[in-house]
Amino acid sequence: MAIGPNDGRQFETDGAAEYDAYFGTPTHDDHVLFELLTVGVFQVGLSWQAAASKLPVYRQVFDGMAIQPVAAMIDELAIPEIAAFPGMIGNHRKIQAVLRNARAILKVQQQFDSFSAYLWAFVDGTPLLLPAPERDAVAHQSTLGSAVAKDMKRRGFSFVGPVVTHMFLLAAGILREPDTRD
């Protein structure tokens, strides 16, 4: 089970299992990338399991995670309604970030033809293998994640700091961690 481009109306899935199964699989689908970025936005201050478990709820409140309709939502009307939805993480700033990110994706699509093309250009179309972390260290940031975060912020994205962007790039398969199993 993995996130797919036609999952926008699947409201009864196990979001955490779905996200976990997909994590690290290279994707070039803007819909999937928007879902992964949205999980990243809501993950700030929470565990990935808590944020990803709400994936079916995000699909309900964010119009099937369709970028164009989400971008068209009016903040003052949509945010309070979305925040009050049963099971939704009601953080107004994070909800507003999702709306802003949809709008930013539309602008990126106009310039680069797709959000995917924009992101994959940072690695010349090939997943970037990160260096092995120091023993017992867990990397939560990367030079690429920081550079992409800075560029995304410049383009109007919200809640895309170096840590969120690093994890988003890992989830999308754009960055890869080395296999450190013995």
Side-chain angles (χ1 to χ4, degrees):
M1 171 173 61
I3 300 172
N6 299 317
D7 289 347
R9 299 289 173 204
Q10 293 183 353
F11 302 142
E12 301 300 324
T13 65
D14 178 343
E18 194 175 356
Y19 180 82
D20 188 44
Y22 197 84
F23 191 94
T25 303
T27 184
H28 296 273
D29 185 279
D30 283 4
H31 171 89
V32 174
L33 290 167
F34 183 46
E35 287 199 350
L36 294 172
L37 180 59
T38 298
V39 170
V41 165
F42 281 100
Q43 185 176 337
V44 174
L46 301 172
S47 70
W48 73 264
Q49 293 96 335
S53 71
K54 301 295 183 180
L55 189 54
V57 177
Y58 305 150
R59 290 176 180 152
Q60 286 180 284
V61 299
F62 294 119
D63 205 359
M65 296 304 300
I67 298 165
Q68 183 82 36
V70 174
M73 291 179 174
I74 300 167
D75 291 25
E76 295 78 19
L77 302 175
I79 293 171
E81 184 178 320
I82 290 169
F85 191 85
M88 180 60 185
I89 298 168
N91 183 306
H92 286 232
R93 291 180 55 230
K94 291 179 181 183
I95 295 167
Q96 183 177 45
V98 174
L99 304 184
R100 285 183 180 167
N101 290 346
R103 294 175 194 133
I105 289 171
L106 291 180
K107 289 178 184 174
V108 164
Q109 288 173 331
Q110 289 174 347
Q111 186 175 358
F112 294 88
D113 294 326
S114 70
F115 185 39
S116 169
Y118 160 74
L119 292 169
W120 283 94
F122 284 96
V123 293
D124 294 326
T126 303
L128 178 67
L129 183 62
L130 294 168
E134 299 288 323
R135 183 173 175 83
D136 299 327
V138 178
H140 295 290
Q141 294 186 40
S142 60
T143 303
L144 179 66
S146 296
V148 174
K150 184 176 181 180
D151 194 71
M152 288 177 76
K153 284 181 185 178
R154 184 178 65 78
R155 295 177 185 280
F157 287 84
S158 294
F159 270 81
V160 289
V163 174
V164 168
T165 304
H166 172 79
M167 294 307 293
F168 165 60
L169 295 173
L170 283 170
I174 295 168
L175 284 179
R176 288 186 41 231
E177 292 179 326
D179 186 357
T180 56
R181 289 177 278 176
D182 294 330

